[in-house]
Amino acid sequence: MPYGFDNDQDLDDSTNRVMLWGLVIMLGMVLAFPLYRWYEPTAREDARQVHLESLADTGSEIWGFNCASCHGVDGDGGSAPALNSTQYLQSATDDQTILLVSVGIPGTPMSAYALDHGGPLTSEQIRAVAVYMRSWEETAPDRPDWRSPPAG
């Protein structure tokens, strides 16, 4: 005995409507994806810049409390080298600066500042100091004698 199905027009119409909406939504997403691909890189770069500015602000405060007494308020030297100099900033990478701040320099008054080495700063705070120092690069003076404390 063959199965006899009644055609339910309301069910067919409802199914077709749902499928049409699904198709419209899918096409909308297909068209929106290139816009997202165009917008996303600039949004990420903007977020990165905001993050670096925030780190530099934090680094400025940390510099004032921990570094300025030896390296000068603006990094122009004191009893320690002038780190706000073209020569230092072009020769030292951020990773090198972070390492020097973290572990210090044996045989000098520059002690370790990382918590892991008995200092007061977290790794994020040390990174903030490095970002702050890097912010000097555009206006850094030419100081071939950056390693020597200023005469006076």
Side-chain angles (χ1 to χ4, degrees), residues 16-38:
N16 289 337
R17 220 176 12 260
V18 168
M19 287 174 35
L20 180 63
W21 274 109
L23 181 64
V24 168
I25 291 171
M26 183 180 74
L27 287 174
M29 293 181 77
V30 165
L31 295 174
F33 184 72
L35 292 173
Y36 171 78
R37 293 275 301 169
W38 173 75

Side-chain angles (χ1 to χ4, degrees), residues 11-109:
L11 181 60
D12 286 347
D13 291 344
S14 174
T15 302
N16 289 337
R17 220 176 12 260
V18 168
M19 287 174 35
L20 180 63
W21 274 109
L23 181 64
V24 168
I25 291 171
M26 183 180 74
L27 287 174
M29 293 181 77
V30 165
L31 295 174
F33 184 72
L35 292 173
Y36 171 78
R37 293 275 301 169
W38 173 75
Y39 170 76
E40 180 58 19
T42 56
R44 280 187 173 196
E45 183 56 32
D46 292 347
R48 181 181 178 282
Q49 286 297 65
V50 168
H51 180 66
L52 287 176
E53 289 169 11
S54 173
L55 278 176
D57 290 344
T58 301
S60 173
E61 292 177 26
I62 295 168
W63 178 274
F65 287 118
N66 295 283
C67 313
S69 61
C70 297
H71 291 284
V73 174
D74 296 318
D76 52 2
S79 60
L83 302 180
N84 184 2
S85 68
T86 302
Q87 288 76 7
Y88 174 77
L89 293 170
Q90 288 180 351
S91 64
T93 65
D94 291 344
D95 288 340
Q96 289 170 330
T97 299
I98 289 169
L99 182 65
L100 290 172
V101 174
S102 296
V103 302
I105 303 173
T108 71

Side-chain angles (χ1 to χ4, degrees), residues 120-144:
L121 302 178
T122 65
S123 59
E124 188 68 9
Q125 288 172 318
I126 292 171
R127 182 166 181 262
V129 169
V131 169
Y132 172 64
M133 290 172 62
R134 189 59 60 197
S135 73
W136 297 333
E137 197 162 24
E138 288 183 24
T139 60
D142 183 29
R143 295 272 316 259

Side-chain angles (χ1 to χ4, degrees), residues 1-13:
M1 173 168 169
Y3 293 109
F5 292 105
D6 291 335
N7 191 8
D8 186 351
Q9 191 59 42
D10 290 339
L11 181 60
D12 286 347
D13 291 344

